[in-house]
Amino acid sequence: MCGIIGYVGLDDAKKELLKGLQALEYRGYDSAGIAYCQPNGIKTIKTVGKVSCLKDKVAKEAADDVTTCGIGHTRWATHGKPSVVNAHPHTSCDGRIAIVHNGIIENFAELREELEGRGHHFKSETDTEVFAHLIEEAYAETHDLMASVREACTHVVGAYGLAAVCADEPGVIAVARKDSPIVVGVGETGSYVASDVIALIDATRDVVVLEDGQFAKLTPSGVEYTDEAGNV
Ligand code: GLU
């Protein structure tokens, strides 16, 4: 299981994500990526290899992008070889939802078959990608990212630390956890999520360790915690 970082607030999210990923490098990983909200949708940038390569790619491809909400990941491949396509974040068919995931989804083969049967197109070989499509299906009903993440989790057997963003809710990061560490923090300029407190240490000492079955909705002004039924 490797690294997750997310930031929503007043600062440049790309900078916060790359800083967080660099702090998580000690864990070892094979690829890295970020996804962030833009006025016309979600932009994703991924590389195989070091976070420094990702940093260079972001500088080349996204220097002028302004964004205050995004998620990032360093991957240690469990399902599917290390490659740009298999690197996280993964996106829904319509590209409007992006997710990062640590852990293993045990029933991903059944879920993938069901989702493909309902018309979903998979881009990667990962177990993770089922989450993007499950959330997309739920979002079509709920139009609520946090509720859609909760709904998606009811179908998944396995371990997950998960963070999701949606182009239609550009100031929100939805977070879930089961058997994979997740911490949430509120700093001076915004809210953070990470898989390891070390990624947040420069930003805040106001940190909450999420428990299994708890969910967190991050916005620039703070965090709302809910249980599996959506109770605050
Ligand atoms: N199982 C996922 C994958 O292979 C996540 C791996 C991780 O935790 O880094 O893509």
Side-chain angles (χ1 to χ4, degrees), residues 1-2 73-79 86 88 101-104 126-128:
M1 290 181 194
C2 242
H73 191 258
T74 48
R75 177 179 187 235
W76 188 289
T78 66
H79 293 67
N86 287 337
H88 303 210
H101 162 240
N102 281 354
I104 290 176
T126 64
D127 53 337
T128 294

Side-chain angles (χ1 to χ4, degrees), residues 32-168:
I34 60 171
Y36 51 89
C37 297
Q38 288 286 268
N40 55 351
I42 303 264
K43 183 151 169 181
T44 304
I45 303 178
K46 314 200 264 191
T47 55
V48 173
K50 294 285 159 205
V51 172
S52 57
C53 302
L54 180 67
K55 223 173 159 179
D56 290 346
K57 201 167 176 183
V58 170
K60 263 192 215 119
E61 294 180 11
D64 297 334
D65 289 353
V66 176
T67 182
T68 54
C69 178
I71 52 177
H73 191 258
T74 48
R75 177 179 187 235
W76 188 289
T78 66
H79 293 67
K81 61 183 178 297
S83 69
V84 172
V85 171
N86 287 337
H88 303 210
H90 291 287
T91 49
S92 54
C93 291
D94 64 7
R96 297 192 70 74
I97 290 166
I99 58 136
V100 289
H101 162 240
N102 281 354
I104 290 176
I105 300 172
E106 288 161 27
N107 61 338
F108 85 95
E110 297 105 275
L111 290 173
R112 181 170 175 147
E113 201 179 316
E114 285 168 23
L115 285 157
E116 284 178 333
R118 293 198 292 272
H120 288 267
H121 171 66
F122 279 69
K123 297 179 274 291
S124 78
E125 302 158 326
T126 64
D127 53 337
T128 294
E129 196 182 336
V130 295
F131 252 128
H133 299 281
L134 287 169
I135 296 168
E136 180 176 35
E137 276 197 348
Y139 199 82
E141 300 291 320
T142 64
H143 302 289
D144 178 329
L145 182 62
M146 192 68 256
S148 303
V149 166
R150 275 196 301 269
E151 161 63 21
C153 288
T154 65
H155 300 278
V156 168
V157 178
Y160 49 83
L162 178 86
V165 291
C166 175
D168 300 304

Side-chain angles (χ1 to χ4, degrees), residues 4-9 68-71 145-146 162-165 169-176 182-187 190-194 200 208 210 215-225:
I4 286 178
I5 182 78
Y7 172 79
V8 55
T68 54
C69 178
I71 52 177
L145 182 62
M146 192 68 256
L162 178 86
V165 291
E169 296 181 38
V172 172
I173 302 175
V175 177
I182 285 282
V183 294
V184 172
V186 179
S191 306
Y192 294 80
V193 58
L200 305 188
V208 168
L210 215 61
F215 296 83
K217 178 179 176 178
L218 279 62
T219 58
S221 56
V223 184
E224 182 180 81
Y225 299 93

Side-chain angles (χ1 to χ4, degrees), residues 150 215 224-232:
R150 275 196 301 269
F215 296 83
E224 182 180 81
Y225 299 93
T226 47
D227 65 13
E228 282 146 334
N231 301 305
V232 177

